[in-house]
Amino acid sequence: MTSTPATSFTHDQIRTYQAQPNSLADKIILVTGAGSGIGRVAALTYAQHGATVLLLGKTTSKLEEVYDEIEALGGPQPAILPLNLASASYTEMQQLENLISKEFGRLDGILHNAGILGELTPLEMYDIDTFAKVMQVNFTAVFMLTQALLPLVKAATSGSVVFTSSTVGTHPRAFWGAYALSKQGVEGMSDIFTQETQATTTLRFNCINPGGTRTNMRAHAFPGENPMSLKTPEDIMPGYLFFMSDDSIGVRGQVVALQPK
Ligand code: NAP
């Protein structure tokens, strides 16, 4: 990976980063897949640190629950952006860019977190429609949304785009099919965006690999596993906070595993 080294932060320091209580004050941050799992906790955590969070996801009722949770904890008023990444058009994403521009005037951060697992099966037998859907949600829609929102994050003083990878994205593994391939693509996308922007903008692109975390997706992937043996989304939030905070200015093109083996 062609990248600038992580200024003064090692990956260990990113994993154990301690954010100041108001470190995200005045930031506008969009989180995809904000209705459940890691995305929900990231949205709540960003709001707790002062950010105005734009909650994007497929199921409006789940986003409404997160909205209420943010209000209950006294965070800045969030916004709900229902969007199905499996079917959303590029025009809809440009409309989203217009809406954010009009309502908020800027966008400081994007956490691309939404994702689906698809099937765990050999490529030889992989269902073609499922393959296309996984690639659409986990990869193509991530590219489309990033491109559509680029004018906004480029205009921010210190824009940060964070992609979500996986261990099988960094090291492809048998039976992980489209999921592994989509995450490999995401890592490549982050690298290419970094190379194409680092000379001319302050905008930074990085990837987080959360590692095995107690969510519905993990339970589907490893049904025999005891969920209590896993870290919770809350446990891994230091890395999520780091990449949205100004402490990560200048950190570009990194893939940080939050739970290295
Ligand atoms: P999760 O609990 O299944 O949550 C996934 C989120 O993505 C949900 O909020 C879901 O919304 C949203 N989503 C799914 N399809 C969507 C669509 N078509 N349009 C918009 N939103 C959609 O998964 P998670 O474990 O929190 O995973 C979060 C991210 O971390 C994913 O990118 C995953 O690949 C990655 N990851 C997770 C682990 C882990 O151990 N948990 C490990 C490595 C990487 P709905 O609920 O409305 O469908």
Side-chain angles (χ1 to χ4, degrees), residues 10 25 84 98 103 106 116 137 139 184 190 203 215 234 245:
T10 64
N84 185 345
N98 280 333
E103 294 295 320
R106 66 180 198 284
I116 55 174
V137 173
F139 178 66
Q184 272 202 291
S190 179
L203 181 59
T215 66
E234 285 80 358
S245 82

Side-chain angles (χ1 to χ4, degrees), residues 44 55 60-80:
L44 292 171
L55 307 165
T60 306
S61 58
K62 292 184 187 176
L63 301 176
E64 285 169 349
E65 279 174 32
V66 179
Y67 182 105
D68 290 345
E69 284 184 88
I70 290 175
E71 288 230 303
L73 60 84
Q77 186 179 26
I80 293 181

Side-chain angles (χ1 to χ4, degrees), residues 36-37 39 47 54 69 85 91 107 125 127 132 156 192 195-196 233 259:
S36 54
L54 314 185
E69 284 184 88
L85 295 171
T91 305
L107 185 62
M125 298 170 193
D127 177 72
I192 291 176
Q195 293 180 48
E196 291 175 354
Q259 302 184 61

Side-chain angles (χ1 to χ4, degrees), residues 91-105:
T91 305
E92 282 175 90
M93 294 182 188
Q94 287 176 308
Q95 286 164 351
L96 196 67
E97 194 264 342
N98 280 333
L99 181 91
I100 296 170
S101 175
K102 223 182 274 165
E103 294 295 320
F104 300 96

Side-chain angles (χ1 to χ4, degrees), residues 32-40 56-63 81-88 112-117 133 136-138 141 163-168 176 179 182-183 208-222 225 230-231 233 236 240 259:
T32 75
S36 54
I38 296 169
R40 171 183 159 272
L56 187 149
K58 176 159 63 74
T59 312
T60 306
S61 58
K62 292 184 187 176
L63 301 176
L81 306 173
L83 196 73
N84 185 345
L85 295 171
S87 54
H112 287 289
N113 161 83
I116 55 174
L117 184 62
K133 186 173 176 188
Q136 180 64 33
V137 173
N138 294 4
F163 300 101
T164 306
S165 188
S166 160
T167 305
V168 297
W176 282 75
Y179 180 82
S182 68
K183 296 299 188 181
I208 285 177
N209 166 11
T213 309
R214 199 186 306 161
T215 66
N216 285 340
M217 182 186 286
R218 178 75 187 189
H220 277 106
F222 294 90
E225 183 178 65
L230 295 169
K231 293 224 167 154
I236 57 169
Y240 284 79
Q259 302 184 61

Side-chain angles (χ1 to χ4, degrees), residues 89-91 93-95 97 107 110 112 139-154 161 163 189 193 196-197 203 205:
S89 67
Y90 190 66
T91 305
M93 294 182 188
Q94 287 176 308
Q95 286 164 351
E97 194 264 342
L107 185 62
I110 305 172
H112 287 289
F139 178 66
T140 308
V142 174
F143 164 65
M144 289 162 66
L145 193 59
T146 306
Q147 196 194 67
L149 299 180
L150 213 48
L152 280 175
V153 277
K154 268 173 104 170
V161 178
F163 300 101
M189 193 181 340
F193 267 126
E196 291 175 354
T197 57
L203 181 59
F205 295 85

